Amino acid sequence: MSNLVADLLILARADAGQGVKLQPVELDRLLLEVFQDTRRLTPGRKVSLRELDQVQVQGDPERLKQLLVILIDNALKYTPESGDVQLALHTESGLGVITVADTGIGIAPEDLPHIFERFYRADKARSREQGGTGLGLSIARWIAERHGGYVGVESVVGNGTTFTVRLPITDHRPRKL
């Protein structure tokens, strides 16, 4: 219940036009931090970092971290323990591009147009078992949009899902880890 209330409060603020506090954010460091936290909190799960370019954006670090956590949490929820979740960050045409890809159950084509809608759940029973509120992806979309970017999704049932976040960059110095 407390998660639902917190999520509703975030969306109410979004509806009221509340913006985000912008400051320089090293997106690569933020992704690395969330990656390390995820690996520590989910021992035994296969979570990997494929690519990590050095990227700086103007953003709210707490909101951007929340966006990453939402996408990674969803990937882990809908990927079997034997599956794989891969994270990456690279640049493309003046944008920082974050991908969260999994080898999970995938999303049916008829559900894809609706997954960013509030309270939408592709599988009502499974979502309740997983403890979701049906608001996470709506919040992720709001965060991306408030940062001048967007979030997209591609999925194949039985083969997994890839969420892609594109954010305008302020600085890019190529670096691979």
Side-chain angles (χ1 to χ4, degrees):
M1 183 62 98
S2 63
N3 287 341
L4 177 61
V5 171
D7 288 348
L8 286 170
L9 182 58
I10 289 168
L11 290 171
R13 289 178 178 153
D15 289 345
Q18 179 183 2
V20 292
K21 299 173 188 166
L22 300 180
Q23 66 185 54
V25 176
E26 294 177 357
L27 202 51
D28 51 306
R29 291 182 189 267
L30 191 63
L31 180 59
L32 186 58
E33 176 187 326
V34 173
F35 167 70
Q36 290 170 337
D37 289 347
T38 300
R39 294 213 32 198
R40 188 177 59 254
L41 296 171
T42 58
R45 297 300 302 265
K46 187 175 177 190
V47 181
S48 58
L49 190 56
R50 293 183 298 148
E51 181 177 15
L52 188 63
D53 282 354
Q54 190 172 13
V55 176
Q56 183 172 298
V57 300
Q58 283 295 111
D60 179 328
E62 290 305 312
R63 290 291 178 226
L64 290 170
K65 183 175 183 176
Q66 183 179 19
L67 181 147
L68 294 171
V69 168
I70 288 168
L71 296 180
I72 295 167
D73 184 53
N74 275 355
L76 289 167
K77 281 182 186 176
Y78 298 109
T79 300
E81 288 194 24
S82 62
D84 185 24
V85 175
Q86 296 182 350
L87 312 176
L89 170 62
H90 69 275
T91 61
E92 180 181 292
S93 304
L95 299 171
V97 181
I98 302 165
T99 57
V100 178
D102 66 56
T103 58
I105 62 173
I107 302 167
E110 62 271 16
D111 291 319
L112 280 174
H114 306 287
I115 63 169
F116 294 103
E117 296 173 8
R118 295 176 188 184
F119 299 110
Y120 187 81
R121 295 177 186 208
D123 182 336
K124 313 300 189 248
R126 182 180 294 125
S127 295
R128 274 192 302 274
E129 290 172 8
Q130 297 293 338
T133 63
L135 295 172
L137 292 177
S138 294
I139 293 169
R141 179 178 61 185
W142 173 76
I143 293 168
E145 289 173 354
R146 286 298 181 262
H147 285 82
Y150 58 95
V151 59
V153 62
E154 295 178 359
S155 188
V156 176
V157 174
N159 287 332
T161 301
T162 300
F163 282 93
T164 304
V165 179
R166 298 177 190 281
L167 300 169
I169 61 174
T170 55
D171 186 30
H172 171 68
R173 295 174 304 278
R175 178 187 71 177
K176 304 281 185 185
L177 291 183

